[in-house]
Amino acid sequence: MRQWYVLGLLLLGWSVLSVGRAQTVETITDAFNASGGVVRGPDGNIYVADFGLRLDNQNGTTVYRVTPEGQRSVFATGFVGASGNAFDAQGNLYQSNIADRRISKVTPDGIVSTFATTGILAPVGIAVDSQDNVFVANCGDHTIRKITPDGTSTAFASSALFACPNGLTIDENDNLYTSNFNNGNVLRIEPDGTVSLLATIPGGNNGHLTYSHGQLYVVARCANQIYRLSLTGQWTLVAGSGARGNADGPATQATFSIPNGIAASVTGDTLYVNDAVPTTGGCVSGSLNPIVLRRIILDTDTGVADRDEVPETITLLQNYPNPFNPATRVHFRLPRTAFVRLRVFDLLGREVTTLVEGMRSAGQHEAVFEAEGLPGGVYVYRLEAAGIVRARAMLLLK
């Protein structure tokens, strides 16, 4: 027991006290026309769609594939105002055509076909759930549509809170999140279609958003900034001074120009954002093309996953937030179904609580540690699954 307890203390010292890598913004491509959605593919590459020149000129036709190092190639063409996009479990890309009222399906080798048109009106963001149902944010009629794998399109969610729902993303529990274009609100949509306000992001105009390792990342277009948003509604600035420009450098000193799409690396410590090269004109009326793809390197405290973790192993992620009060979330990943025990101990090795005990399927899982009534200090959480033990430490501030 003492061995994993000491390991927990070492991990705490690394995650809380280490300065880690500097949080920076880097431009990784030359300029090209791709002002629409950004998504990470199952191959680890970044796929960037071309919406068009301006909001009133939705003439983009192409989706590009960009490697994490910035090498670019054409993936598919034939779109009309290519905006939001998402992949299913088979590696098919679903691409919205905002100017043509349709959703396209693109096979892994780039073959494009029409997937759905019924009820599609100015589609923007797309998300795919665990059953390969495709959800579409309809800016045109302020609704969310659901499209089953066979292409059947039905109404899913409607609310007065929608104000041109723009970006769309989904967590591992099939909760949807959308960012409004016409105001700064980010909304949560339950699997039964219930809509609620999660947070209001500065700037009054949101681009897209993405979910990664228990957190949301939201593009504030008109604020020229990127924000991190917890699932309980607390937001923090990730990058962007607020001034308009294309300057790289330390994240909160770097400048952006009408950023729009966003995707996260599989490890959760790198974000990719497409950013307009023009720096004049309004954020709603100005030119959106050409763009550059920019990479935001998150520091080691906020990059939730370990960079050297092998994807097919059992992984215990650092809790978030950390330090915390009174609650925090713990995420772990399983390569296959296993019996799992996740427990919390104090510094004397005494068990405080059991968060998980039972069979869990392959994939990512979440547990919430409620520390109300407990004294502040260091706690260690320990995961046991398939004969493997993982441990990390966390800090409760009182």
Side-chain angles (χ1 to χ4, degrees), residues 7 21 91 104 123 155 191 218 220 237 302 321 351 354 385:
L7 172 64
R21 299 179 302 159
S104 297
V218 186
L237 177 65
T302 55
E351 182 175 339
T354 297

Side-chain angles (χ1 to χ4, degrees), residues 40-41 44 86 116 138 155 166 177 182 201 211 214 252 261 291 348 352 398:
R40 174 179 51 82
N138 260 357
N166 193 27
Y177 303 88
N182 290 344
I201 302 298
Y211 174 80
T252 55
I291 63 97
L348 297 178
V352 174
K398 286 292 183 75

Side-chain angles (χ1 to χ4, degrees), residues 323-346:
F324 69 99
N325 181 21
T328 188
R329 296 174 184 271
V330 174
H331 291 85
F332 59 94
R333 298 195 218 111
L334 304 174
R336 61 190 63 85
T337 299
F339 183 88
V340 173
R341 182 178 290 114
L342 178 61
R343 294 180 288 173
V344 178
F345 298 83
D346 66 16

Side-chain angles (χ1 to χ4, degrees), residues 92-283:
N92 299 301
L93 176 71
Y94 295 89
Q95 178 64 58
S96 61
N97 297 261
I98 193 169
D100 202 31
R101 299 188 178 188
R102 63 182 165 93
I103 306 301
S104 297
K105 180 178 180 179
V106 190
T107 63
D109 55 358
I111 298 174
V112 181
S113 62
T114 296
F115 178 61
T117 58
T118 302
I120 305 301
L121 184 61
V124 189
I126 294 182
V128 181
D129 73 5
S130 58
Q131 304 301 313
D132 276 347
N133 295 303
V134 176
F135 295 85
V136 179
N138 260 357
C139 174
D141 63 359
H142 311 288
T143 64
I144 305 295
R145 301 287 298 187
K146 177 181 179 180
I147 310 170
T148 58
D150 65 359
T152 302
S153 173
T154 57
F156 178 69
S158 178
S159 170
L161 292 172
F162 291 137
C164 182
N166 193 27
L168 193 66
T169 192
I170 194 166
D171 67 20
E172 63 271 4
N173 297 313
D174 287 343
N175 299 297
L176 291 164
Y177 303 88
T178 190
S179 48
N180 280 342
F181 184 83
N182 290 344
N183 58 38
N185 291 344
V186 175
L187 310 176
R188 176 185 173 106
I189 308 158
E190 309 287 339
D192 65 359
T194 301
V195 182
S196 59
L197 175 64
L198 180 63
T200 301
I201 302 298
N205 170 263
N206 292 325
H208 292 254
L209 77 171
T210 191
Y211 174 80
S212 177
H213 300 294
Q215 304 169 81
L216 296 166
Y217 294 91
V218 186
V219 175
R221 287 180 77 253
C222 286
N224 298 306
Q225 293 175 317
I226 313 300
Y227 285 86
R228 177 186 298 110
L229 176 61
S230 76
L231 299 189
T232 55
Q234 288 75 46
W235 53 260
T236 55
L237 177 65
V238 170
S241 69
R244 188 169 174 184
N246 303 127
D248 292 340
T252 55
Q253 299 174 31
T255 57
F256 292 84
S257 177
I258 322 179
N260 185 43
I262 186 169
S265 65
V266 68
T267 52
D269 59 3
T270 306
L271 302 174
Y272 297 90
V273 176
N274 57 344
D275 191 40
V277 172
T279 57
T280 59
C283 66

